[in-house]
Amino acid sequence: MITLLVHIANTDPIKLDVEELPDLNQIAVIGSNPRDRKDKEVIWVDEGVTTIILPWWRINYIQILPDSEAEEEFPLP
């Protein structure tokens, strides 16, 4: 599972879990478990929603967050 920090135009960024990196040839990014930076519920996502689709035109940029295994292999100073 890959965790992305998606920076959406005119709103706070959200974290999404994806199986693989988004395909730039697609028209949208599909991710599960939407949450804010602090892993709390996103207020604009309805209760019970586990997967969202974001069109590329709404996304400013995406950061790929390191997973916990990578942090164990290469600890930060």
Side-chain angles (χ1 to χ4, degrees), residues 14-63:
I14 62 168
K15 287 183 182 177
L16 287 178
D17 295 329
V18 295
E19 292 294 327
E20 57 187 35
L21 293 177
D23 183 353
L24 299 177
N25 295 317
Q26 300 296 320
I27 61 170
V29 173
I30 301 172
S32 61
N33 193 19
R35 58 205 185 276
D36 69 10
R37 284 182 190 250
K38 296 179 182 178
D39 294 325
K40 296 184 180 177
E41 289 184 24
V42 181
I43 59 171
W44 50 266
V45 174
D46 289 338
E47 186 175 334
V49 172
T50 59
T51 302
I52 62 171
I53 301 170
L54 293 169
W56 276 113
W57 65 268
R58 293 276 296 144
I59 298 171
N60 291 332
Y61 63 97
I62 297 174
Q63 293 176 287

